[in-house]
Amino acid sequence: MIPHIHKRGANTYGLLSYLYGPGEAEEHTDPHLVASFDGMAPDPGRDPAATLKALQILLDQPVAALEPVRRPARHVWHMSVRNAPEDPTLPDGHWADIARRIVAATGIDPGDGAGCRWAAVRHADDHIHIIATVVREDGYRPDLHNDASRAQAEARLLEVAYGLRQLTTGDKTAAKRPTSAELHKAKRTGRERTAREELREAVRRAAAGTDSEQEFFTRLGDAGLLVRTKVMPSGDLSGFSVALPDDLTAQGEPVFYSGSSLAPDLSLPRVRQRFADPSGHEATGRSSSPASGRSRLRPAPARRRTAEAAWAAILLIDQGSDGAAAAQIAATGEILDALALTSAAHTRQHLREAAQTFERATRSHIRAERQHARALRRAARDLVYSGPALGRGEDGAGTAMAIDMLFFLVTATALWHSRKRHAQQAAAARQAAEHLRAAYRGAADRPLRAARQRGQSLPAPVRDRQAAAVREALPDLAEQILSEPGWYALAATLTDIEVVGRRPAELLAEAAARRELSTAQSVSDVLLWRLRRTAGLPADPTAPHPPRPAGPAAPKPQSKPDTHQQTRSL
């Protein structure tokens, strides 16, 4: 159940006309009263003798009784209370009880006999509207402090009472929802999403991995957005707003949204924090274009770097301070935005949904210590400037490797938020993980199928040797791994590890020890990507791998210096 308080108004009759009217898209059906302050208010929807004017006069009487100078300029309080699509359709009697409990909880009509006048109108199966005038019968103003929070708390109780979908109470760090007007406009103009939602995604993507304010505004323009900046008398920028070129007012003017109205962390000061050093100054010595100061990575190495950064971030979330963990989580949102922006068509939609969903998990009241997230932000930047990836070969396999690591990073985020009792953020992270699962299936199918074919073609003695390595390193998981369809692909990777001079059993034990495997749908698949990353093998299991060191001058394969050197050369 979602109670939503709308902007305070000054026209009681106008709001009643909308509630009892057909709606902007003829969506209102059978408008009628379900409850009122005294239970006897006229109902223009069901009573032919009742009129909107009579109901308006009744509701406005306490306001009209005041001297003009004491009347509030905006005296119309309006709330909608909406159930989830999967909830049962409630009868009018239940909605009447819900309305009475909501107005009591918010302070509109606390039950002291002198509350505000109100009426609850129903014109759809799944929601009601409550209209009230904010002058009590005794002439005083109601106590509406934190009325939205009190309504949310009461809604949680009502969900239990009526067997409705139980939502989680937020911490006021969520992005603002689209208004009813924005939703109707999107539907009328044929948009899948509102302008607010499209702009939020575009600004997030522009901020992903940015190194400077100049680069951020350049990316906004490159994304096709109209940008307007706010300049202080000193000449410094204090804010910005953006608009879609085709989202216009009735007068033909673009509709601009400030960054802070899109999401709390998209205001200009908060965006600046992403590329500031610990002292709060914009970072220097780093390039604002990919071609300046360093070479541009291709998609496959950029995805490899993403996997490496994600793996390191998991450890920081598990073992670091709260500020460091919050920074890793915020930067993970940038990684997902950048990966969705540059992914191949067959994974793009799932990655986009993962990024959109995870956005809610990136913010909490714990202040992010941004200096701890430089590796992830650098990886996000590399993804953006590496360009679109192909869905095959090393690009496709690198994407699968990155998604595999990001799944565990997002899962670690969900666990961290759960420990902190951040219910909405934890739920968002869990949902994003499911989108990543779907994206992984699309990205990994081709390389894993080819790797399985390689493994099936291995001589039986070779496969037996790799099976023995699995039993030696992972005795508790061995039989599960050997029975999975991905075993043959893992066997091929273990053979590649031998070719480059490493011991499969040692790397298997290391890969399993560094992170739990219980959330993996296929343990063999997860181990394959971890091993290929750790051993410095190409992400594509069918690609040629580095040859094993040979010759008199080459170090011994199992010596510590050689192992260290191969690990560093990822």
Side-chain angles (χ1 to χ4, degrees):
M1 177 178 290
I2 301 175
H4 174 65
I5 298 177
H6 300 262
K7 187 177 181 180
R8 193 78 62 85
N11 188 344
T12 307
Y13 186 86
L15 179 55
L16 288 172
S17 297
Y18 167 74
L19 297 179
Y20 276 95
E24 296 186 8
E26 303 290 333
E27 72 274 18
H28 296 175
T29 58
D30 186 25
H32 60 280
L33 214 63
V34 295
S36 65
F37 67 100
D38 62 356
M40 296 183 292
D43 181 8
R46 295 282 178 86
D47 183 357
T51 64
L52 292 176
K53 187 64 177 177
L55 181 56
Q56 173 255 312
I57 291 173
L58 181 66
L59 294 176
D60 279 345
Q61 275 180 353
V63 180
L66 293 178
E67 297 177 3
V69 294
R70 293 185 57 205
R71 295 172 187 170
R74 294 186 173 273
H75 68 280
V76 182
W77 184 91
H78 175 206
M79 170 182 279
S80 57
V81 184
R82 186 180 301 271
N83 281 346
E86 63 268 29
D87 284 336
T89 299
L90 301 180
D92 284 351
H94 288 178
W95 278 117
D97 179 59
I98 290 168
R100 284 189 287 267
R101 289 180 59 171
I102 288 288
V103 296
T106 55
I108 288 292
D109 189 1
D112 58 0
C116 300
R117 296 190 177 186
W118 59 272
V121 179
R122 183 181 188 182
H123 55 212
D125 287 341
D126 63 347
H127 70 278
I128 60 171
H129 291 261
I130 303 173
I131 177 174
T133 50
V134 292
V135 175
R136 289 165 46 91
E137 297 285 2
D138 55 15
Y140 290 98
R141 301 285 183 88
D143 177 12
L144 299 179
H145 179 66
N146 284 335
D147 53 351
S149 298
R150 287 186 278 172
Q152 291 288 346
E154 187 65 24
R156 303 294 81 79
L157 299 176
L158 287 163
E159 288 162 355
V160 175
Y162 287 105
L164 307 176
R165 177 186 174 188
Q166 296 183 36
L167 303 182
T168 54
T169 300
D171 58 1
K172 298 184 179 180
T173 61
K176 184 178 179 181
R177 293 176 177 272
T179 65
S180 297
E182 291 168 357
L183 291 169
H184 288 312
K185 184 177 182 180
K187 185 176 181 180
R188 187 175 66 250
T189 56
R191 292 184 183 275
E192 293 184 2
R193 297 184 296 162
T194 64
R196 180 188 299 276
E197 291 167 315
E198 290 186 26
L199 289 168
R200 182 183 301 134
E201 180 181 60
V203 175
R204 279 203 332 260
R205 288 180 169 184
T210 49
D211 267 357
S212 68
E213 190 174 292
Q214 177 184 357
E215 180 188 8
F216 172 61
F217 284 113
T218 298
R219 284 206 211 167
L220 290 176
D222 291 344
L225 305 185
L226 303 179
V227 183
R228 193 164 59 188
T229 55
K230 184 178 180 181
V231 183
M232 294 188 294
S234 62
D236 296 329
L237 294 183
S238 62
F240 74 98
S241 56
V242 289
L244 297 174
D246 58 348
D247 180 37
L248 307 175
T249 65
Q251 292 73 37
E253 296 294 326
V255 181
F256 280 88
Y257 295 80
S258 67
S260 59
S261 71
L262 298 176
D265 57 344
L266 293 182
S267 66
L268 186 57
R270 295 286 295 276
V271 171
R272 282 171 173 155
Q273 290 175 6
R274 302 185 185 212
F275 42 79
D277 62 26
S279 66
H281 298 93
E282 186 171 313
T284 58
R286 290 183 291 171
S287 61
S288 61
S289 65
S292 173
R294 60 175 176 166
S295 60
R296 169 173 168 169
L297 286 181
R298 294 179 60 82
R303 278 147 176 75
R304 185 78 175 224
R305 177 171 287 180
T306 296
E308 296 286 351
W311 185 256
I314 292 172
L315 301 180
L316 283 172
I317 290 175
D318 285 345
Q319 303 170 12
S321 66
D322 284 350
Q328 300 301 321
I329 293 168
T332 300
E334 298 188 47
I335 286 281
L336 291 174
D337 283 324
L339 192 60
L341 180 66
T342 59
S343 62
H346 64 292
T347 58
R348 187 177 304 138
Q349 184 58 33
H350 289 304
L351 288 172
R352 184 180 183 185
E353 290 171 349
Q356 290 171 351
T357 304
F358 190 78
E359 185 265 350
R360 179 65 189 97
T362 60
R363 292 184 302 274
S364 70
H365 286 300
I366 295 177
R367 184 178 179 85
E369 298 172 357
R370 297 279 182 175
Q371 70 271 20
H372 294 288
R374 289 173 180 162
L376 274 178
R377 296 203 72 248
R378 192 178 303 117
R381 179 180 178 78
D382 289 337
L383 285 171
V384 170
Y385 287 115
S386 66
L390 300 174
R392 59 184 184 275
E394 187 68 9
D395 281 7
T399 298
M401 177 185 284
I403 296 173
D404 177 77
M405 298 297 173
L406 286 169
F407 170 83
F408 285 97
L409 175 54
V410 169
T411 300
T413 296
L415 294 174
W416 185 84
H417 277 307
S418 294
R419 291 195 298 269
K420 301 299 177 184
R421 299 184 182 275
H422 302 160
Q424 289 188 352
Q425 290 91 332
R430 287 192 294 269
Q431 187 178 354
E434 293 307 309
H435 290 306
L436 287 175
R437 279 192 196 273
Y440 171 79
R441 287 193 290 268
D445 178 67
R446 181 179 294 182
L448 290 181
R449 189 169 60 248
R452 282 195 293 269
Q453 292 173 352
R454 274 191 59 208
Q456 290 167 346
S457 66
L458 291 173
V462 175
R463 287 203 304 269
D464 291 343
R465 185 170 69 248
Q466 309 307 355
V470 171
R471 291 189 175 97
E472 175 189 346
L474 308 171
D476 295 336
L477 292 171
E479 297 312 313
Q480 176 184 343
I481 293 171
L482 297 177
S483 65
E484 290 180 346
W487 154 242
Y488 292 103
L490 179 60
T493 290
L494 294 175
T495 303
D496 293 340
I497 289 172
E498 286 183 331
V499 170
V500 297
R502 308 291 294 274
R503 289 195 68 244
E506 288 182 0
L507 291 188
L508 275 168
E510 177 185 342
R514 290 190 65 184
R515 188 69 194 174
E516 55 82 27
L517 294 167
S518 60
T519 54
Q521 290 186 332
S522 171
V523 175
S524 53
D525 287 359
V526 172
L527 289 173
L528 179 146
W529 299 118
R530 291 186 186 180
L531 291 171
R532 300 196 76 82
R533 181 188 61 81
T534 304
L537 297 170
D540 183 2
T542 65
H545 46 69
R548 177 174 180 166
K556 294 181 180 180
Q558 297 181 22
S559 66
K560 291 184 179 180
D562 183 57
T563 300
H564 178 66
Q565 179 63 36
Q566 292 185 45
T567 303
R568 291 187 59 193
S569 65
L570 296 180

